[in-house]
Amino acid sequence: MADKKTFYITTPIYYPSASLHIGHAYSTVATDAIARYHRQRGDETYFLTGSDEHGQKIERKAKAEGVTPQEYVDKIVAGFKDLWKLLDISYDGFIRTTDDYHVKAVQKMFKKLYDQGDIYKSKYTGFYCTPCESFWLDRQVKEAGGVCPDCGGPVELVEEESYFFRLSKYADRLIQYIKDNPTFIQPNSRTNEMLQNFLLPGLEDLCVSRTSFTWGIPVDFDSKHVVYVWLDALSNYITALGWGSEDDSLYKKFWPADVHIVGKEIVRFHTIIWPIMLMALGEPLPKQVFGHGWLVLDGGKMSKSKGNVVDPVALCARYGVDAIRYFLLREVPFGSDGTFSNEALIARINTDLANDLGNLLSRTVAMIDKYFGGALPAPAVTADEDAALIALASELPAKVDVLMNELHIPDALAEIWKLVGACNKYIDVTAPWTLAKSEAGQERLKTVLYNLAESLRIVAVLLTPFLTSTPAKMFVQLGTAPAQASLNAVAWGGSVPGSQVHKGEALFPRIDVEAELAYFAAEADKAKAAATPATEPAPAAEAAPAAPAKHGHGDDEAPAEIEYDDFAKIDLRLAKVVACEEIKKSKKLLKLTVEVGAETRTVVSGIKQWYTPDDLVGKTVVLVANLKPVTLCGVESHGMILCASDAADENLSALTTLAEMESGLKVR
Ligand code: MSP
């Protein structure tokens, strides 16, 4: 592996025009995994994210809500930080473009560029797209058929006095720079796109101030103007490190950035405007700009303005943070577009996480427990099949290193899963349960179980940058010290014979696909009924009425505290089951007729696996009575039966009362 160094990585700074969706989470989780990888390999790492808070769109939204723009962004940015906390984003700096130090540094930058003649005053005529915060030339709008070339929405014709930045002056230098530095724009295909579509046809100077709105950084020597968005936004990458302030020690240490991670639609701003700004300022250029693809829904990009977004908070509540991180990091080649679907998410969780990894760990630990009283045996008798497994595990860290340095994040995970797959095959080939039956097999069994535990330990170390709670859970079950999360501990042989393993909960409980898809279908029906365009899953509090909600590995993580008033919103009632039948089309669902005081209702519950209709008739259960009705397998369900279950859903019991009580009574 290469020598340790400093490593500076950034996400785009997000617009606080609405809450963030899974597409933004994608960008940030990917950046986080890269940052964590560099920290793990010992690099002194600085990971910056933040919010891009100025502009007309925010000004208008705040006005519509009757608050000041600052109040408006404060609230939304607090939500960004909550989301990053939930997703375990390990940022070192969070810059807000309304931060005082940023405002001052941008004013200083603007003045310097103006004084040296790179910014000049003129008149701007063109089209403006408010949702995209983009100005477009007549030609560009015409080519797009009279609409915004990015979002296809309407554009407004605007004319105003503006300051302009002389992009054109630096175009040749930039073209040369890009040619001399073939890895500056990644993936490679984007280099050509920038050269052919934007640079070679010739650059026009860039409008960098507006007078038509006031929510921006004032040009301090011409108070009519505020700095227009890209100059303000892009400079965050250096102002956050103290450029232009009294303390620029971080700037000296970390600039130039190793990589800016950005979505593909903003690659052009980062590879044309930003390097030219830096050239004009006489500062070094970032080493790389990586443009990732979009997560799309049904062929279209998710967008806050289109309303077709998926809420990462609801997904994390339902499946657990590591499951969502894994999906985001594994599903789509980094750099390409990919589709988000509930089916794909569930398939990844069930196949890769629950079956391949989770079962492997629980089988290994269970066998060490059963055959050796929980003490990891020392390897003894070896056989041919060991060498291939050990070689795969030993070569894995270097392979992951190459892939992560090239930002092939999903491939790095796929490589780790090759070892997981090899371990599962190794179990099939060595058949430890057969070895355990004979005296002669005991010595071989020791080696087999040691090799499995050791491979899993290496997997856990290598997963540390990607998944934030799973590796620690694996270390606990394997009886390995968590300090082993360092890459220094990745060499084969680190597991200490005699360590005590601990049987634990399934890392990722299997999801019942049928019930889960029924849940999403019901949610979609509800969304349609409410006549909103959103396709996002329900908030976490709305648990699946079809089956006990399976919250991934987050089951035992206590949710945040709530006020009594929040609890009081849930109308819990005793209900007596007066009739019950199977829903034939479904493997999981029972249709219950329940009496709630004087009222009779139908409730569909995903508990067929645990109860027959006869088990339930005559029983008193606890009903969430004020849950919105949903239709499951064609039956309208009016409420949800409360059940307790273990994380693997092996044991489940509907709740009832200790004494006979009348139906309809309130549970509080
Ligand atoms: N504020 C600018 C960036 C300024 S950086 C100096 C901006 N903000 S944004 O909130 O609209 O988008 C931020 C990032 O989120 C972009 O890189 C964008 O590509 C990314 N994504 C938004 N929706 C996305 C998907 N559906 N999929 C993947 N990334 C997505 O642009």
Side-chain angles (χ1 to χ4, degrees), residues 312-335:
V313 177
L315 288 178
C316 288
R318 202 158 176 82
Y319 302 111
V321 170
D322 272 356
I324 301 307
R325 284 180 65 107
Y326 181 77
F327 177 81
L328 293 174
L329 295 169
R330 176 74 169 87
E331 183 69 8
V332 182
F334 200 48

Side-chain angles (χ1 to χ4, degrees), residues 14 18-28 80 83-84 87 295 301-305 308-313 328 536:
Y14 299 95
S19 304
L20 298 180
H21 57 64
I22 197 78
H24 305 110
Y26 174 68
S27 221
T28 310
F80 287 10
L83 176 62
W84 300 151
L87 285 166
L295 268 193
K301 188 192 172 211
M302 277 170 234
S303 98
K304 291 176 276 199
S305 35
N308 63 339
V309 296
V310 174
D311 177 8
V313 177
L328 293 174
E536 59 198 303

Side-chain angles (χ1 to χ4, degrees), residues 86-158:
L86 174 69
L87 285 166
D88 274 330
I89 303 302
S90 62
Y91 59 80
D92 299 289
F94 188 106
I95 182 167
R96 301 183 56 177
T97 52
T98 50
D99 285 337
D100 200 42
Y101 67 88
H102 174 77
V103 170
K104 287 199 179 109
V106 169
Q107 286 173 330
K108 192 167 168 180
M109 180 183 295
F110 199 98
K111 181 80 170 40
K112 176 175 161 58
L113 294 174
Y114 178 75
D115 287 346
Q116 72 192 35
D118 282 329
I119 283 181
Y120 60 93
K121 204 184 220 176
S122 181
K123 209 167 220 157
Y124 175 84
T125 316
F127 291 93
Y128 183 67
C129 171
T130 306
C132 298
E133 307 240 9
S134 293
F135 288 95
W136 299 100
L137 300 170
D138 195 30
R139 166 179 59 84
Q140 294 169 309
V141 171
K142 263 197 201 123
E143 276 169 17
V147 291
C148 168
D150 254 359
C151 74
V155 285
E156 293 167 44
L157 184 64
V158 289

Side-chain angles (χ1 to χ4, degrees), residues 11 95 105 136 146 202 215 280 389 407 431 443 446 470 474 508:
T11 68
I95 182 167
W136 299 100
W215 181 239
L389 185 76
L407 305 186
E443 294 303 293
K446 288 180 182 171
T470 303
M474 293 176 69
F508 297 94

Side-chain angles (χ1 to χ4, degrees), residues 11-15 20-21 23-24 26-27 52 230 233-234 236-237 261-266 270 292-296 301-302 304:
T11 68
I13 49 171
Y14 299 95
Y15 289 132
L20 298 180
H21 57 64
H24 305 110
Y26 174 68
S27 221
D52 185 0
W230 283 103
L234 290 162
N236 92 86
Y237 300 126
I261 303 291
V262 300
K264 63 179 186 179
E265 84 286 15
I266 56 172
H270 284 77
H292 64 71
W294 289 342
L295 268 193
V296 297
K301 188 192 172 211
M302 277 170 234
K304 291 176 276 199

